[in-house]
Every structure is written in structure tokens, then in C-alpha cells.
Amino acid sequence: MCTRLSRLVPFTLSLTLLLFSCNKVEEVSPEGTIIGFVKMTGSFPIADHSEIQVSIASISREVTTNEDGRYEFNNVPAGTYWVSFQKDGFQPFQRLVLLAGGKIPYVIPDIFLREVRD
């Protein structure tokens, strides 16, 4: 019995090492994606949230939202950024983002721009 066990342990150890050595370790990309939604709020219901300017000034990147208020920045180098949101007639807003890079996008919580009243 002891002889079988002494032969089984090295075999099990070798098999375990072989299995773990075959797993490919993926590199983390030094770039990432930032996504989110911006909505406009005011004294009347707003259905179309398009054409809101979303920008990252420090890397000269700018996009506009679609009618749902969705925006996306792809291939953004890992780092810390101020993301700015603005549209004429609404109070601008900024959000600090710490982007680590990799395949999982950084999702900014929904932003609500308030209507500027005269």
C-alpha cells in the first residue's frame, strides 16, 4: 500500500504542474475603454439626449452622445483623467476617472446635466 502511494504522489504532482503550465497568462493592455450615459434634466421631459459633448482634454479626445445619451472612448491609455460633459443651455459637469486599462471597460455612473435657467 505504501509503495502505491509513493508512486501516485509524484504522478499527481507532475500532472498538476503540467496542467498549470499549459495555461496561457494574458497580458493586461496598457489601454482601456471608458463608457457611460449622460442625460439632460429640465423643466420639461427630454427624450433625445444626443449631441452632448464628452471630452478628455488632457489627451485631446472628444465624442458626442447618441440619442440615448451613450458615449464611448476606446483605446484610452491607462491613467487619471477629468472627463467633461457639456451642452449649450445646460450646466457643464466633470468626473474624475482612474483608468487601469485592460479588457473590462470603465463605466462612469450616469451623469445628469441640469438645464440652465435665466
Side-chain angles (χ1 to χ4, degrees):
M1 174 97 170
C2 193
T3 307
R4 282 188 194 167
L5 187 58
S6 64
R7 282 191 252 160
L8 186 58
V9 170
F11 174 74
T12 305
L13 182 60
S14 298
L15 183 60
T16 303
L17 290 173
L18 178 64
L19 289 174
F20 282 110
S21 67
C22 291
N23 289 337
K24 181 180 177 185
V25 176
E26 294 187 29
E27 293 182 27
V28 175
S29 172
E31 297 179 331
T33 300
I34 300 172
I35 61 173
F37 287 87
V38 186
K39 306 290 182 180
M40 296 176 286
T41 61
S43 55
F44 55 92
I46 301 171
D48 184 1
H49 301 279
S50 64
E51 302 303 318
I52 299 171
Q53 295 176 334
V54 184
S55 62
I56 306 172
S58 61
I59 58 170
S60 302
R61 300 278 299 273
E62 184 175 304
V63 297
T64 56
T65 57
N66 66 12
E67 67 182 25
D68 295 324
R70 187 178 191 285
Y71 62 90
E72 183 171 331
F73 290 97
N74 293 307
N75 303 317
V76 178
T80 303
Y81 302 102
W82 281 103
V83 180
S84 301
F85 307 86
Q86 63 184 32
K87 183 170 175 103
D88 289 342
F90 293 84
Q91 186 175 1
F93 186 82
Q94 286 190 322
R95 173 66 58 112
L96 185 63
V97 170
L98 174 59
L99 182 65
K103 291 183 179 181
I104 299 173
Y106 184 99
V107 180
I108 295 178
D110 289 356
I111 302 295
F112 294 90
L113 298 183
R114 293 190 176 121
E115 181 181 23
V116 175
R117 298 181 187 190
D118 295 327

